[in-house]
Amino acid sequence: MANTSQSLFERGMKVLVEGVSSASRGPATFGGAPRYMSHGAGARLYDVDGREYIDWMMAFGALPLGHAHPAIVEVVSREILRGSHFATALEVEVEVAEILVGMLPHVDKVRFANTGTEACMAAFRLARGHTGRRKIIKFEGHYHGWADNILLNTNPMPIAALGHPNDPIRICDSSGIPPEAQADTIVCRWNDVEALERVMALHGAQAACVVTEGVMSNMGVIPPAPGYLMRMQELCQQYGALFYLDETVTGFRLAAGGCAELYGLTPDIVTYGKALGGGLPMAMIGGRADVMAGLEWGKVLHFGTHNAGRLALHVTKVMLQTMLADDQAGFRRIKNLGKAMADEVRKVAKHSNRHKIVVQGVNSMFQIFFTDLDEVTDYRDFCGHVDRAKFRDFALRLMDKGIYMNPSATLHSLSSVVHTEADIAATGVAIAQVLEEMP
Ligand SMILES: Cc1ncc(COP(=O)(O)O)c(C=O)c1O
């Protein structure tokens, strides 16, 4: 059988670093050549060798409407004829901001960016500018983009490298970052109220913000313990630190209002990306009016040639309108499909009973853990008890059967409005076969 992916990989290795443009898409994740994709339609991806896949990765969550949704194709085809980008003020920019402020009660104003990383960078600077404080409190296993100040303790590590849970060893995740860039970033264990209370007593009064993912989404899927995020919000209020909810993954995904809606939170600052752009680069910082006013000219600087790109804004508008139509039917659909898929995997795994598997999910997101635990509740559980090599083997075997899940156990699978019950059943059949085949 032709293996065009392999030959593209060999060509790509000569001209692209690791044959790809983001380290997580290459050999580090695939153990060799990744599948090179040619096109997508609905819930399907097609590779350069003509193989078809049911796509459960959906561009890391960027595609709540799936691939080449007719409404998006229509708006892109129409708007590209009127110019791709002006870097000027736009009517559609105001319209999309109005929709967002209307649907997110904790957001009075927004500022658009292109990627989650950029939005997070601006949010940290804004938090520091608004409060006049320097420290940022972040959590083990949480990822907020790849900027210098925040890229620490995001990778799974051997438990012995992590230090005491009361005082995690600070582990910088990249060469090239000067230690002083992270000197004011405090790392805390997540999902542990006592650990947070201790850290807040020590650093809360100097903290510009406490930043958290609402659901830990970069160690599979780990939901917050009941009341945990609300306690975090209270502690932020008590110490005068901003409560910063990074909804880059969870926003416009787990509910129309993301984790803020799901867990009844009123964050001071939020960032969104991925799903927001419906497949085009779009991200935003949002928050309370007095906090967001910090981005005014002469205060905290935030620039960007490609901010509020008009094509991306038109797609964002269509994505939001489509998901919100019929009393948020789109959000209900991805939630029901995600839950049904997670249940299907549980059912198949129980029936097979050959491997110990835990499936964790929140609405449209789920992840399959090969673990000896009954529940993965935090980063340390993940590091010590999740078999990542086994998951990769599982995902690569599934690919051979036409099911695309990212081979990294740190990521997760996601439903879109165009997945169907038949896709869930077909995925279940493939998973059952793979579980039988796997050693
Ligand atoms: C919670 C969170 N914040 C920020 C980012 C960065 O977003 P981007 O990859 O668009 O820069 C990510 C990316 O995975 C993320 O998961």
Side-chain angles (χ1 to χ4, degrees):
M1 197 196 289
N3 195 342
T4 317
S5 279
Q6 181 62 39
S7 49
L8 276 175
F9 181 58
E10 285 158 20
R11 268 173 62 195
M13 285 294 280
K14 295 185 184 141
V15 287
L16 287 158
V17 181
E18 296 182 309
V20 287
S21 297
S22 178
S24 67
R25 294 180 203 167
T29 298
F30 287 80
R35 310 275 163 127
Y36 284 72
M37 296 299 170
S38 86
H39 61 288
R44 298 288 190 283
L45 267 178
Y46 298 85
D47 74 14
V48 285
D49 289 304
R51 291 191 201 91
E52 179 181 296
Y53 304 86
I54 300 175
D55 182 7
W56 291 104
M57 189 178 89
M58 284 289 151
F60 295 133
L63 301 169
L65 301 183
H67 300 284
H69 190 281
I72 291 185
V73 172
E74 196 272 324
V75 74
V76 171
S77 312
R78 187 184 71 222
E79 292 302 331
I80 192 70
L81 299 175
R82 294 161 57 84
S84 56
H85 184 47
F86 307 151
T88 65
L90 298 168
E91 182 175 358
V92 67
E93 181 182 5
V94 178
E95 287 172 350
V96 175
E98 283 169 349
I99 298 173
L100 291 164
V101 169
M103 68 190 279
L104 302 169
H106 48 288
V107 169
D108 297 327
K109 288 212 174 158
V110 309
R111 171 63 75 80
F112 293 111
N114 297 287
T115 66
T117 297
E118 283 175 64
C120 292
M121 282 167 63
F124 291 126
R125 185 181 287 171
L126 174 60
R128 285 174 161 159
H130 177 81
T131 58
R133 300 174 177 187
R134 297 172 68 131
K135 289 187 183 173
I136 288 167
I137 298 173
K138 66 95 67 184
F139 297 96
E140 286 182 316
H142 288 214
Y143 176 69
H144 305 287
W146 49 276
D148 283 2
N149 67 316
I150 204 71
L151 194 60
L152 66 169
N153 299 72
T154 68
N155 281 327
M157 302 293 286
I159 278 282
L162 303 181
H164 195 293
N166 286 353
D167 184 22
I169 295 174
R170 295 151 56 83
I171 306 170
C172 178
D173 293 320
S174 173
S175 292
I177 297 181
E180 57 271 25
Q182 302 186 337
D184 290 313
T185 311
I186 312 296
V187 180
C188 179
R189 189 179 192 182
W190 196 67
N191 242 354
D192 179 335
V193 169
E194 280 163 26
L196 182 59
E197 287 173 344
R198 203 174 309 111
V199 164
M200 290 302 275
L202 282 170
H203 303 283
Q206 297 98 46
C209 66
V210 177
V211 59
T212 188
E213 298 177 21
V215 168
M216 201 193 270
S217 313
N218 287 285
M219 290 293 138
V221 176
I222 305 182
Y228 175 69
L229 293 175
M230 188 53 84
R231 181 69 186 131
M232 190 184 295
Q233 180 171 301
E234 286 166 8
L235 285 165
C236 286
Q237 281 160 359
Q238 182 182 334
Y239 288 97
L242 297 180
F243 177 44
Y244 168 9
L245 187 62
D246 180 5
E247 298 241 44
T248 304
V249 174
T250 50
F252 314 105
R253 260 268 151 223
L254 301 190
C259 284
E261 176 184 324
L262 214 55
Y263 301 111
L265 305 168
T266 46
D268 303 301
I269 307 190
V270 270
T271 40
Y272 302 86
K274 297 193 191 256
L276 177 62
L280 271 81
M282 178 55 66
M284 68 181 241
I285 311 126
R288 246 181 28 226
D290 63 309
V291 178
M292 291 300 288
L295 289 174
E296 288 164 4
W297 178 249
K299 296 180 189 167
V300 175
L301 190 140
H302 171 239
F303 278 167
T305 299
H306 284 280
N307 291 356
R310 70 178 293 277
L311 256 197
L313 279 168
H314 277 284
V315 172
T316 299
K317 181 176 158 190
V318 166
M319 186 285 291
L320 290 170
Q321 287 172 336
T322 308
M323 293 297 286
L324 290 170
D326 190 16
D327 194 22
Q328 305 189 356
F331 288 103
R332 280 198 301 284
R333 181 167 173 82
I334 59 172
K335 168 178 159 178
N336 293 338
L337 287 164
K339 282 176 171 283
M341 188 63 245
D343 284 344
E344 178 72 15
V345 185
R346 287 186 192 106
K347 192 182 83 188
V348 167
K350 190 168 171 203
H351 187 256
S352 148
N353 205 25
R354 287 202 58 226
H355 307 272
K356 173 95 169 60
I357 285 175
V358 169
V359 183
Q360 294 189 183
V362 180
N363 295 357
S364 59
M365 303 169 58
F366 65 94
Q367 182 55 304
I368 301 162
F369 296 116
F370 290 89
T371 176
D372 56 328
L373 298 176
D374 292 330
E375 192 184 2
V376 181
T377 61
D378 80 342
Y379 169 72
R380 287 170 185 248
D381 282 356
F382 186 100
C383 293
H385 297 274
V386 170
D387 189 336
R388 290 185 289 139
K390 193 161 178 178
F391 181 79
R392 180 160 91 181
D393 181 31
F394 169 77
L396 293 177
R397 287 170 189 265
L398 273 181
M399 267 180 213
D400 287 338
K401 298 189 187 306
I403 308 295
Y404 198 94
M405 291 183 182
N406 190 290
S408 171
T410 60
L411 289 162
H412 42 258
S413 289
L414 301 125
S415 54
S416 72
V417 294
V418 289
H419 282 98
T420 61
E421 297 293 333
D423 294 334
I424 292 173
T427 304
V429 169
I431 289 178
Q433 290 168 354
V434 165
L435 292 179
E436 290 312 305
E437 285 169 14
M438 275 172 63

